[in-house]
Amino acid sequence: MATTECNIDFKKTYFMGYSTPTGFTTHLRDDIESGEFTTYIIKGGPGTGKSSLMKKISSEISELDEPEIYYCSSDPNSLDAVLFDNLKVIIADGTAPHVIEPTYPGAREILVDLGECWNLDSLSSNKDGVIDATDRNQKYHVLAKKYLSAIISVDEDIMSIGDSALDSLKLDAYLERLSARLFPKKRDFENKGKIKFRQMTSFTPVGVKTFTNLFEHLNVYKIEDECFAVTDNLLKKLAEYASEAGYDVLISKNVFLSGSVYQHMIIPEIETAFVSAASDGIAGGTKINSMRFYDKDIFRDKHKRLMFDEGIVKELTDEMISALQIAKEIHDELESYYIKAMDFDKVNLTCERLMKRIRVNAEN
């Protein structure tokens, strides 16, 4: 499935997560719940300055620590979170759909309430508009999830064909040779490398997007695979090989399949990435033709079914993106009510106090 390029200034840019038919999922919770970070959870309605606050802090504090920037899949221009790995600080939007509540309030997680900066009289006078826009927005997100559920069902049929045709022995032999060349064991490593999840591709109101800046200046392997099975097996086994050799690995999951199906992988230390060739905008790279690891006779028998499935997925994806576009337009309408009700001078003061706190803690 073709994707489009998402150009962002920051180098480490990801999506905070993605919607599933059963709700929003994000691996940022793994970091929040690890106990290693102080997490500032921002609360407030749409248009209250949450994204602007995080953009300002990420820019100002970047001199102390290069941030990981997490964007919103419902609005790729809006920030959902910022993570400073060395400072051990996370700032995250804790409102729906990615609701975050403190487990250890004030000790490990600190609430930042931008609701204190809005004019309640203004919002009350526009109560009917706020309620109507909120309900309409939710309606189209529910519709998008229905399309997504159908896409996943069809893609799982496609992957089942791939699984049935997979030549595991041939793929395993290739992976042993490739991993031996790419991941020589370090002489000085004591522990396995970490496998972390970072969402590099997601569906948005402007299409399926990939943060292609992540792959600039890397040695890229592009996996040409219409049936997902080779990609998933290849990446999972390579991730284990790399981890066993002491290398950290970043994994991005396929948002159009349920469970844990891998789509992209980056091994930062050796500046190497493996990506789905369907991700447009990633320049160059060495191609891996997945057909060499499939039984061609099985594919020949299933050709019509595959073509039918792929056509259905394209149509469903177009409809889902259309629903997300309408939801985004309604969200913009909803934001307008909150923007008019905000005291942004107070928001700026909140931002300054938060930056001061982070800087002071960094010095101690």
Side-chain angles (χ1 to χ4, degrees), residues 96-149:
H98 32 70
V99 176
I100 302 170
E101 297 295 346
T103 304
Y104 305 100
R108 204 174 69 188
E109 300 93 9
I110 299 168
L111 286 175
V112 180
D113 185 8
L114 296 187
E116 296 178 351
C117 304
W118 60 36
N119 184 320
L120 292 178
D121 290 336
S122 174
L123 288 174
S124 180
S125 66
N126 290 295
K127 178 177 67 175
D128 291 342
V130 170
I131 293 172
D132 176 64
T134 300
D135 291 346
R136 285 187 288 121
N137 175 268
Q138 182 63 23
K139 171 186 171 183
Y140 280 98
H141 276 295
V142 169
L143 179 60
K145 286 181 181 179
K146 289 180 179 179
Y147 285 125
L148 176 60
S149 181

Side-chain angles (χ1 to χ4, degrees), residues 293-309:
F293 306 113
Y294 286 127
D295 186 317
K296 293 181 177 60
D297 291 333
I298 293 178
F299 267 99
R300 195 174 297 112
D301 293 340
K302 305 291 186 181
H303 179 72
K304 287 185 178 180
R305 182 167 141 197
L306 280 171
M307 293 299 100
F308 175 79
D309 282 353

Side-chain angles (χ1 to χ4, degrees), residues 168-183 234 237-238 241:
S168 297
L169 291 177
K170 190 172 183 180
L171 178 60
D172 288 347
Y174 168 77
L175 291 177
E176 285 187 16
R177 296 192 301 271
L178 182 61
S179 61
R181 186 171 79 248
L182 290 178
F183 315 130
L234 184 150
K237 291 179 180 179
L238 280 181
Y241 278 126

Side-chain angles (χ1 to χ4, degrees), residues 5 8 42 57 62 66 118 235 252 264 283 318 323 331 363:
E5 182 176 0
I8 301 295
I42 306 176
I57 293 176
S62 62
E66 181 185 6
W118 60 36
L235 294 184
S252 181
H264 310 303
D318 289 343
H331 184 269
E363 293 171 358

